[in-house]
Amino acid sequence: MAGLVPQPSWFVLPCTEISKTLDTVEQVCAAASNAGIDRTGALIAIGGGVCSDIVTLAASLFRRGISHLRIPTTLIGQIDAGIGLKGGVNFAQRKNYLGCFYPPDAVAVIPRLLATLTRDGVKQGMAEMVKISCTSDPRLFTVLEQQTKELIDSNFQLPEAFAKEAIQRAITAMLKELRTNPFENRTLQRAVDFGHTVAHFLEVETAYTLHHGFAVSVDMAFSCVVGWRLGILSFEMAMRVINLLAISGLPIHHHALTEDLIAASFSAAANHRGGAINLVIPTGLGTYAFLKKKSDLGAKLTREVLDWLRQEQERVLVQTATDTVAGNTDYGGFEVSSTRPSFEGCL
Ligand SMILES: NC(=O)c1ccc[n+]([C@@H]2O[C@H](COP(=O)([O-])OP(=O)(O)OC[C@H]3O[C@@H](n4cnc5c(N)ncnc54)[C@H](O)[C@@H]3O)[C@@H](O)[C@H]2O)c1
Ligand SMILES: [Zn+2]
């Protein structure tokens, strides 16, 4: 935190979904106050998406709003949370329920900072990269399919030229989406909501033990299989997305994803998105459609989609275990089924 005093003051934030609360925002404001920051001062968020969400909200509130800057240290932070306009905290069992639109004064993206991420941290960021590439940058998606293993194994440091380009392209695609609808009031149909309809409920249902990135991955797989079963996304394309998630080591199913959870998520999404669910379903690389009504996806089809995802997840796990035992931990070892599972009368 920097005020008129040249020395910055530091405040180490607890950064988990459980501590992403108004109480923590107050702690940041108290630290800013103790540090003597005036209205010309600034808060600097150095950390992942939880950190920037909390600090952004604190900056928007402190003395009715002071500057803030972000130095995102996670992949999700660098391509998504740190780039956008939003800050927020969890409230009353609802994810990001209290928040603000409050653009940062500057963001410094330093890919080297990703070198210390855990493997899970890298995978979680990969989920958001799959999201934005699928809806908005087909070339990025295609190269990710070829480079997944090296990117993940090297914490997005190698292959050097492409790792940086991938981050840049993901940021560019995200900014392009934000530029036309920064405050989410021009349209409630947003490509960047791909993977973000049932995900938030999954996080809450699992008491945040399922990380945001993993929940987004499950949501994207669900949306793709819905699209395939509704006949608006080809089986091949749905499997390309699912395969990219699987070879990235991301989940495509979670036992908490039930019919009830989906129904609750759809109601909440409709409430948030002007009466329509607006579930984002890719229709190809770089194209997508929006599922509007709950009734577009009947109970029978929902059950079939969930069964298919569960079976596919089990198959991926068996395949991964077999590869590990055989000493073949190559991500490319996961083969996509070429046959179309048969579901009666749901197309
Ligand atoms: N505001 C937005 O537009 C937006 C967009 C996407 C996600 N989000 C939010 O971002 C959050 C997820 O962010 P995240 O994925 O960055 O996770 P995170 O902020 O929860 O960080 C995950 C863990 O990584 C650690 N960490 C951070 N940087 C590290 C580094 N360089 N090396 C090692 N460990 C490091 C953190 O201490 C934490 O334990 C969610 O709360 C989500 O809702 C917000
Ligand atoms: Zn997200």
PDB file of all heavy atoms in Angstrom, residues 94-119:
ATOM      1  N   ARG A  94     -23.438 -17.608  -1.066  1.00  0.00           N
ATOM      2  CA  ARG A  94     -23.485 -17.277  -2.493  1.00  0.00           C
ATOM      3  C   ARG A  94     -22.115 -16.764  -2.906  1.00  0.00           C
ATOM      4  O   ARG A  94     -21.532 -15.905  -2.247  1.00  0.00           O
ATOM      5  CB  ARG A  94     -24.543 -16.200  -2.779  1.00  0.00           C
ATOM      6  CG  ARG A  94     -25.957 -16.610  -2.414  1.00  0.00           C
ATOM      7  CD  ARG A  94     -26.499 -17.739  -3.265  1.00  0.00           C
ATOM      8  NE  ARG A  94     -26.812 -17.312  -4.610  1.00  0.00           N
ATOM      9  CZ  ARG A  94     -27.990 -16.818  -4.975  1.00  0.00           C
ATOM     10  NH1 ARG A  94     -28.967 -16.697  -4.103  1.00  0.00           N
ATOM     11  NH2 ARG A  94     -28.207 -16.463  -6.216  1.00  0.00           N
ATOM     12  N   LYS A  95     -21.665 -17.307  -4.026  1.00  0.00           N
ATOM     13  CA  LYS A  95     -20.346 -16.957  -4.546  1.00  0.00           C
ATOM     14  C   LYS A  95     -20.371 -15.549  -5.145  1.00  0.00           C
ATOM     15  O   LYS A  95     -21.276 -15.213  -5.920  1.00  0.00           O
ATOM     16  CB  LYS A  95     -20.007 -18.024  -5.600  1.00  0.00           C
ATOM     17  CG  LYS A  95     -18.806 -17.769  -6.425  1.00  0.00           C
ATOM     18  CD  LYS A  95     -17.559 -18.301  -5.796  1.00  0.00           C
ATOM     19  CE  LYS A  95     -16.391 -17.974  -6.708  1.00  0.00           C
ATOM     20  NZ  LYS A  95     -15.120 -18.222  -6.128  1.00  0.00           N
ATOM     21  N   ASN A  96     -19.373 -14.749  -4.809  1.00  0.00           N
ATOM     22  CA  ASN A  96     -19.209 -13.393  -5.367  1.00  0.00           C
ATOM     23  C   ASN A  96     -20.510 -12.583  -5.331  1.00  0.00           C
ATOM     24  O   ASN A  96     -20.833 -11.869  -6.264  1.00  0.00           O
ATOM     25  CB  ASN A  96     -18.741 -13.470  -6.844  1.00  0.00           C
ATOM     26  CG  ASN A  96     -17.357 -14.059  -6.960  1.00  0.00           C
ATOM     27  OD1 ASN A  96     -16.580 -14.055  -6.013  1.00  0.00           O
ATOM     28  ND2 ASN A  96     -17.040 -14.576  -8.142  1.00  0.00           N
ATOM     29  N   TYR A  97     -21.251 -12.724  -4.227  1.00  0.00           N
ATOM     30  CA  TYR A  97     -22.594 -12.127  -4.194  1.00  0.00           C
ATOM     31  C   TYR A  97     -22.559 -10.630  -3.933  1.00  0.00           C
ATOM     32  O   TYR A  97     -23.448  -9.897  -4.345  1.00  0.00           O
ATOM     33  CB  TYR A  97     -23.425 -12.845  -3.123  1.00  0.00           C
ATOM     34  CG  TYR A  97     -24.905 -12.767  -3.354  1.00  0.00           C
ATOM     35  CD1 TYR A  97     -25.471 -13.245  -4.536  1.00  0.00           C
ATOM     36  CD2 TYR A  97     -25.755 -12.237  -2.392  1.00  0.00           C
ATOM     37  CE1 TYR A  97     -26.833 -13.180  -4.748  1.00  0.00           C
ATOM     38  CE2 TYR A  97     -27.118 -12.178  -2.597  1.00  0.00           C
ATOM     39  CZ  TYR A  97     -27.655 -12.645  -3.782  1.00  0.00           C
ATOM     40  OH  TYR A  97     -28.997 -12.587  -3.997  1.00  0.00           O
ATOM     41  N   LEU A  98     -21.537 -10.168  -3.214  1.00  0.00           N
ATOM     42  CA  LEU A  98     -21.383  -8.733  -2.970  1.00  0.00           C
ATOM     43  C   LEU A  98     -20.154  -8.272  -3.740  1.00  0.00           C
ATOM     44  O   LEU A  98     -19.097  -8.900  -3.668  1.00  0.00           O
ATOM     45  CB  LEU A  98     -21.172  -8.462  -1.474  1.00  0.00           C
ATOM     46  CG  LEU A  98     -22.262  -8.939  -0.524  1.00  0.00           C
ATOM     47  CD1 LEU A  98     -21.888  -8.593   0.910  1.00  0.00           C
ATOM     48  CD2 LEU A  98     -23.618  -8.328  -0.890  1.00  0.00           C
ATOM     49  N   GLY A  99     -20.276  -7.188  -4.460  1.00  0.00           N
ATOM     50  CA  GLY A  99     -19.097  -6.779  -5.222  1.00  0.00           C
ATOM     51  C   GLY A  99     -19.279  -5.463  -5.927  1.00  0.00           C
ATOM     52  O   GLY A  99     -20.214  -4.698  -5.663  1.00  0.00           O
ATOM     53  N   CYS A 100     -18.357  -5.211  -6.834  1.00  0.00           N
ATOM     54  CA  CYS A 100     -18.349  -3.907  -7.509  1.00  0.00           C
ATOM     55  C   CYS A 100     -17.723  -4.048  -8.899  1.00  0.00           C
ATOM     56  O   CYS A 100     -17.038  -5.035  -9.187  1.00  0.00           O
ATOM     57  CB  CYS A 100     -17.486  -2.927  -6.701  1.00  0.00           C
ATOM     58  SG  CYS A 100     -15.787  -3.503  -6.505  1.00  0.00           S
ATOM     59  N   PHE A 101     -17.992  -3.080  -9.733  1.00  0.00           N
ATOM     60  CA  PHE A 101     -17.232  -2.916 -10.966  1.00  0.00           C
ATOM     61  C   PHE A 101     -16.277  -1.756 -10.690  1.00  0.00           C
ATOM     62  O   PHE A 101     -16.732  -0.625 -10.433  1.00  0.00           O
ATOM     63  CB  PHE A 101     -18.153  -2.554 -12.139  1.00  0.00           C
ATOM     64  CG  PHE A 101     -19.028  -3.690 -12.579  1.00  0.00           C
ATOM     65  CD1 PHE A 101     -20.310  -3.829 -12.079  1.00  0.00           C
ATOM     66  CD2 PHE A 101     -18.563  -4.627 -13.494  1.00  0.00           C
ATOM     67  CE1 PHE A 101     -21.127  -4.875 -12.489  1.00  0.00           C
ATOM     68  CE2 PHE A 101     -19.364  -5.677 -13.903  1.00  0.00           C
ATOM     69  CZ  PHE A 101     -20.648  -5.806 -13.395  1.00  0.00           C
ATOM     70  N   TYR A 102     -14.990  -2.020 -10.686  1.00  0.00           N
ATOM     71  CA  TYR A 102     -14.047  -0.971 -10.283  1.00  0.00           C
ATOM     72  C   TYR A 102     -12.716  -1.231 -10.996  1.00  0.00           C
ATOM     73  O   TYR A 102     -11.878  -1.995 -10.513  1.00  0.00           O
ATOM     74  CB  TYR A 102     -13.887  -1.002  -8.758  1.00  0.00           C
ATOM     75  CG  TYR A 102     -13.286   0.255  -8.179  1.00  0.00           C
ATOM     76  CD1 TYR A 102     -13.965   1.471  -8.242  1.00  0.00           C
ATOM     77  CD2 TYR A 102     -12.035   0.227  -7.568  1.00  0.00           C
ATOM     78  CE1 TYR A 102     -13.415   2.620  -7.706  1.00  0.00           C
ATOM     79  CE2 TYR A 102     -11.479   1.371  -7.023  1.00  0.00           C
ATOM     80  CZ  TYR A 102     -12.186   2.573  -7.092  1.00  0.00           C
ATOM     81  OH  TYR A 102     -11.631   3.707  -6.561  1.00  0.00           O
ATOM     82  N   PRO A 103     -12.520  -0.611 -12.175  1.00  0.00           N
ATOM     83  CA  PRO A 103     -11.336  -0.930 -12.976  1.00  0.00           C
ATOM     84  C   PRO A 103     -10.029  -0.560 -12.276  1.00  0.00           C
ATOM     85  O   PRO A 103      -9.968   0.481 -11.607  1.00  0.00           O
ATOM     86  CB  PRO A 103     -11.501  -0.053 -14.230  1.00  0.00           C
ATOM     87  CG  PRO A 103     -12.816   0.612 -14.118  1.00  0.00           C
ATOM     88  CD  PRO A 103     -13.381   0.398 -12.758  1.00  0.00           C
ATOM     89  N   PRO A 104      -9.031  -1.403 -12.417  1.00  0.00           N
ATOM     90  CA  PRO A 104      -7.717  -1.080 -11.841  1.00  0.00           C
ATOM     91  C   PRO A 104      -7.043   0.043 -12.631  1.00  0.00           C
ATOM     92  O   PRO A 104      -7.329   0.219 -13.812  1.00  0.00           O
ATOM     93  CB  PRO A 104      -6.932  -2.384 -11.995  1.00  0.00           C
ATOM     94  CG  PRO A 104      -7.547  -3.055 -13.178  1.00  0.00           C
ATOM     95  CD  PRO A 104      -9.007  -2.670 -13.171  1.00  0.00           C
ATOM     96  N   ASP A 105      -6.135   0.755 -11.977  1.00  0.00           N
ATOM     97  CA  ASP A 105      -5.379   1.791 -12.691  1.00  0.00           C
ATOM     98  C   ASP A 105      -4.311   1.159 -13.569  1.00  0.00           C
ATOM     99  O   ASP A 105      -3.922   1.726 -14.593  1.00  0.00           O
ATOM    100  CB  ASP A 105      -4.734   2.752 -11.690  1.00  0.00           C
ATOM    101  CG  ASP A 105      -5.803   3.584 -11.005  1.00  0.00           C
ATOM    102  OD1 ASP A 105      -6.463   3.026 -10.100  1.00  0.00           O
ATOM    103  OD2 ASP A 105      -6.025   4.740 -11.399  1.00  0.00           O
ATOM    104  N   ALA A 106      -3.798   0.025 -13.155  1.00  0.00           N
ATOM    105  CA  ALA A 106      -2.798  -0.682 -13.967  1.00  0.00           C
ATOM    106  C   ALA A 106      -2.734  -2.135 -13.519  1.00  0.00           C
ATOM    107  O   ALA A 106      -3.074  -2.455 -12.374  1.00  0.00           O
ATOM    108  CB  ALA A 106      -1.420  -0.031 -13.803  1.00  0.00           C
ATOM    109  N   VAL A 107      -2.324  -2.986 -14.446  1.00  0.00           N
ATOM    110  CA  VAL A 107      -2.118  -4.407 -14.133  1.00  0.00           C
ATOM    111  C   VAL A 107      -0.755  -4.806 -14.698  1.00  0.00           C
ATOM    112  O   VAL A 107      -0.462  -4.498 -15.862  1.00  0.00           O
ATOM    113  CB  VAL A 107      -3.207  -5.296 -14.797  1.00  0.00           C
ATOM    114  CG1 VAL A 107      -2.974  -6.765 -14.450  1.00  0.00           C
ATOM    115  CG2 VAL A 107      -4.602  -4.857 -14.385  1.00  0.00           C
ATOM    116  N   ALA A 108       0.081  -5.422 -13.881  1.00  0.00           N
ATOM    117  CA  ALA A 108       1.381  -5.914 -14.374  1.00  0.00           C
ATOM    118  C   ALA A 108       1.309  -7.429 -14.474  1.00  0.00           C
ATOM    119  O   ALA A 108       1.141  -8.119 -13.461  1.00  0.00           O
ATOM    120  CB  ALA A 108       2.493  -5.499 -13.424  1.00  0.00           C
ATOM    121  N   VAL A 109       1.386  -7.936 -15.700  1.00  0.00           N
ATOM    122  CA  VAL A 109       1.354  -9.392 -15.888  1.00  0.00           C
ATOM    123  C   VAL A 109       2.787  -9.887 -16.083  1.00  0.00           C
ATOM    124  O   VAL A 109       3.450  -9.526 -17.045  1.00  0.00           O
ATOM    125  CB  VAL A 109       0.480  -9.766 -17.108  1.00  0.00           C
ATOM    126  CG1 VAL A 109       0.567 -11.260 -17.401  1.00  0.00           C
ATOM    127  CG2 VAL A 109      -0.971  -9.367 -16.836  1.00  0.00           C
ATOM    128  N   ILE A 110       3.248 -10.693 -15.141  1.00  0.00           N
ATOM    129  CA  ILE A 110       4.639 -11.176 -15.164  1.00  0.00           C
ATOM    130  C   ILE A 110       4.604 -12.706 -15.170  1.00  0.00           C
ATOM    131  O   ILE A 110       4.482 -13.343 -14.109  1.00  0.00           O
ATOM    132  CB  ILE A 110       5.407 -10.645 -13.921  1.00  0.00           C
ATOM    133  CG1 ILE A 110       5.271  -9.113 -13.834  1.00  0.00           C
ATOM    134  CG2 ILE A 110       6.877 -11.076 -13.961  1.00  0.00           C
ATOM    135  CD1 ILE A 110       5.683  -8.530 -12.486  1.00  0.00           C
ATOM    136  N   PRO A 111       4.662 -13.323 -16.358  1.00  0.00           N
ATOM    137  CA  PRO A 111       4.493 -14.783 -16.430  1.00  0.00           C
ATOM    138  C   PRO A 111       5.477 -15.566 -15.552  1.00  0.00           C
ATOM    139  O   PRO A 111       5.140 -16.648 -15.070  1.00  0.00           O
ATOM    140  CB  PRO A 111       4.727 -15.086 -17.916  1.00  0.00           C
ATOM    141  CG  PRO A 111       4.355 -13.819 -18.620  1.00  0.00           C
ATOM    142  CD  PRO A 111       4.761 -12.707 -17.688  1.00  0.00           C
ATOM    143  N   ARG A 112       6.663 -15.020 -15.299  1.00  0.00           N
ATOM    144  CA  ARG A 112       7.651 -15.727 -14.459  1.00  0.00           C
ATOM    145  C   ARG A 112       7.091 -16.049 -13.072  1.00  0.00           C
ATOM    146  O   ARG A 112       7.503 -17.010 -12.429  1.00  0.00           O
ATOM    147  CB  ARG A 112       8.903 -14.861 -14.288  1.00  0.00           C
ATOM    148  CG  ARG A 112      10.052 -15.246 -15.200  1.00  0.00           C
ATOM    149  CD  ARG A 112      11.391 -14.685 -14.764  1.00  0.00           C
ATOM    150  NE  ARG A 112      11.372 -13.446 -14.012  1.00  0.00           N
ATOM    151  CZ  ARG A 112      11.282 -12.230 -14.551  1.00  0.00           C
ATOM    152  NH1 ARG A 112      11.181 -12.096 -15.861  1.00  0.00           N
ATOM    153  NH2 ARG A 112      11.305 -11.152 -13.790  1.00  0.00           N
ATOM    154  N   LEU A 113       6.169 -15.222 -12.597  1.00  0.00           N
ATOM    155  CA  LEU A 113       5.605 -15.446 -11.258  1.00  0.00           C
ATOM    156  C   LEU A 113       4.852 -16.780 -11.172  1.00  0.00           C
ATOM    157  O   LEU A 113       4.612 -17.297 -10.092  1.00  0.00           O
ATOM    158  CB  LEU A 113       4.657 -14.297 -10.877  1.00  0.00           C
ATOM    159  CG  LEU A 113       5.305 -12.915 -10.724  1.00  0.00           C
ATOM    160  CD1 LEU A 113       4.244 -11.861 -10.406  1.00  0.00           C
ATOM    161  CD2 LEU A 113       6.359 -12.946  -9.621  1.00  0.00           C
ATOM    162  N   LEU A 114       4.479 -17.323 -12.331  1.00  0.00           N
ATOM    163  CA  LEU A 114       3.713 -18.579 -12.330  1.00  0.00           C
ATOM    164  C   LEU A 114       4.592 -19.792 -12.019  1.00  0.00           C
ATOM    165  O   LEU A 114       4.085 -20.879 -11.764  1.00  0.00           O
ATOM    166  CB  LEU A 114       3.030 -18.788 -13.696  1.00  0.00           C
ATOM    167  CG  LEU A 114       2.155 -17.634 -14.208  1.00  0.00           C
ATOM    168  CD1 LEU A 114       1.554 -17.994 -15.562  1.00  0.00           C
ATOM    169  CD2 LEU A 114       1.053 -17.316 -13.197  1.00  0.00           C
ATOM    170  N   ALA A 115       5.915 -19.580 -12.048  1.00  0.00           N
ATOM    171  CA  ALA A 115       6.842 -20.705 -11.901  1.00  0.00           C
ATOM    172  C   ALA A 115       6.657 -21.443 -10.576  1.00  0.00           C
ATOM    173  O   ALA A 115       6.967 -22.625 -10.477  1.00  0.00           O
ATOM    174  CB  ALA A 115       8.286 -20.212 -12.042  1.00  0.00           C
ATOM    175  N   THR A 116       6.151 -20.764  -9.547  1.00  0.00           N
ATOM    176  CA  THR A 116       6.037 -21.412  -8.232  1.00  0.00           C
ATOM    177  C   THR A 116       4.635 -21.976  -7.964  1.00  0.00           C
ATOM    178  O   THR A 116       4.377 -22.498  -6.879  1.00  0.00           O
ATOM    179  CB  THR A 116       6.381 -20.403  -7.107  1.00  0.00           C
ATOM    180  OG1 THR A 116       5.567 -19.232  -7.299  1.00  0.00           O
ATOM    181  CG2 THR A 116       7.847 -20.013  -7.145  1.00  0.00           C
ATOM    182  N   LEU A 117       3.748 -21.859  -8.932  1.00  0.00           N
ATOM    183  CA  LEU A 117       2.393 -22.387  -8.726  1.00  0.00           C
ATOM    184  C   LEU A 117       2.425 -23.895  -8.519  1.00  0.00           C
ATOM    185  O   LEU A 117       3.280 -24.591  -9.078  1.00  0.00           O
ATOM    186  CB  LEU A 117       1.525 -22.106  -9.956  1.00  0.00           C
ATOM    187  CG  LEU A 117       0.927 -20.720 -10.140  1.00  0.00           C
ATOM    188  CD1 LEU A 117       0.089 -20.709 -11.411  1.00  0.00           C
ATOM    189  CD2 LEU A 117       0.076 -20.325  -8.941  1.00  0.00           C
ATOM    190  N   THR A 118       1.465 -24.401  -7.763  1.00  0.00           N
ATOM    191  CA  THR A 118       1.318 -25.856  -7.659  1.00  0.00           C
ATOM    192  C   THR A 118       0.761 -26.374  -8.989  1.00  0.00           C
ATOM    193  O   THR A 118       0.217 -25.602  -9.799  1.00  0.00           O
ATOM    194  CB  THR A 118       0.304 -26.227  -6.554  1.00  0.00           C
ATOM    195  OG1 THR A 118      -0.951 -25.612  -6.902  1.00  0.00           O
ATOM    196  CG2 THR A 118       0.761 -25.733  -5.195  1.00  0.00           C
ATOM    197  N   ARG A 119       0.849 -27.690  -9.178  1.00  0.00           N
ATOM    198  CA  ARG A 119       0.303 -28.281 -10.404  1.00  0.00           C
ATOM    199  C   ARG A 119      -1.192 -27.975 -10.518  1.00  0.00           C
ATOM    200  O   ARG A 119      -1.698 -27.633 -11.588  1.00  0.00           O
ATOM    201  CB  ARG A 119       0.567 -29.799 -10.378  1.00  0.00           C
ATOM    202  CG  ARG A 119      -0.010 -30.582 -11.551  1.00  0.00           C
ATOM    203  CD  ARG A 119       0.487 -30.070 -12.882  1.00  0.00           C
ATOM    204  NE  ARG A 119       1.908 -30.198 -13.052  1.00  0.00           N
ATOM    205  CZ  ARG A 119       2.507 -31.184 -13.716  1.00  0.00           C
ATOM    206  NH1 ARG A 119       1.803 -32.116 -14.268  1.00  0.00           N
ATOM    207  NH2 ARG A 119       3.817 -31.217 -13.833  1.00  0.00           N
TER     208      ARG A 119
END
